[in-house]
Amino acid sequence: MGVEFEGEPSASSGGVDSDCIDVGCARPLVGLSGESCGFGVRGLVAVWVLVGGGLLGVARSLSPASAGLGTHQQLGLPPCSMRMLFGVRCPACGMTTSWSWLTRGDLVASASANLSGMLLGFFVLVLLVLGLRLVWYGRCLSRRVNWWVGFGVVFLGVLSVAEWLVRLQFD
């Protein structure tokens, strides 16, 4: 005649929590659901982790342009077409420079080159951690984490356009 508390295994179940059966008696991992991801999903996420990590690695290997934009030209890419044709910055102008500063830990220079680029770089770092956890544990992201990832994508898109419109007024 013991008192049972919510979340504790009952004596009638033999001391086994019903949630424990579904997830293999492992404690829930923050951000991951109990659902198993297939190898296809894990493979796609692993490729994304390599691409995202590779982009950050490339940004680290570049020397940030002192002008705040143009760092991408070290990769053999041409100058910004929008800047060449219309004389105004595009929404992505300064993002490579921003990532290059971010990977060096200079947040002020990163934000001044392109604030949304700096936040995108942080977002990619968070996604890398989530992706590595998904690949390692083989569990899908929780609904809450999926919602926040989607919100982050939309937020960064809106912020990028807003920042661009503000920069157009001051350049």
Side-chain angles (χ1 to χ4, degrees):
M1 281 211 189
V3 178
E4 292 182 24
F5 294 98
E6 186 177 335
E8 286 188 3
S10 65
S12 62
S13 66
V16 177
D17 189 1
S18 62
D19 292 337
C20 187
I21 295 169
D22 296 335
V23 294
C25 295
R27 289 188 173 263
L29 296 168
V30 175
L32 297 178
S33 71
E35 297 176 35
S36 176
C37 287
F39 285 109
V41 171
R42 291 171 81 178
L44 286 173
V45 172
V47 167
W48 190 94
V49 165
L50 292 173
V51 169
L55 289 173
L56 287 169
V58 167
R60 177 68 173 111
S61 72
L62 300 173
S63 299
S66 58
L69 51 111
T71 302
H72 68 281
Q73 291 177 284
Q74 295 173 37
L75 298 170
L77 298 170
C80 176
S81 299
M82 190 166 183
R83 201 168 164 91
M84 297 293 288
L85 294 173
F86 304 111
V88 295
R89 294 172 62 135
C90 73
C93 273
M95 278 206 187
T96 308
T97 306
S98 178
W99 278 37
S100 188
W101 282 120
L102 178 66
T103 58
R104 287 167 170 71
D106 192 337
L107 301 182
V108 173
S110 178
S112 67
N114 192 313
L115 176 63
S116 55
M118 181 189 78
L119 294 176
L120 177 63
F122 279 125
F123 189 65
V124 168
L125 284 171
V126 168
L127 291 179
L128 288 175
V129 170
L130 289 172
L132 285 171
R133 292 182 75 212
L134 184 148
V135 170
W136 182 261
Y137 291 107
R139 291 159 132 194
C140 295
L141 298 177
S142 68
R143 286 182 185 211
R144 178 175 288 167
V145 171
N146 277 331
W147 187 90
W148 280 107
V149 167
F151 176 80
V153 169
V154 172
F155 175 77
L156 286 170
V158 169
L159 179 66
S160 182
V161 171
E163 180 184 12
W164 176 58
L165 292 173
V166 168
R167 285 185 185 265
L168 286 177
Q169 299 300 314
F170 295 106
D171 278 349

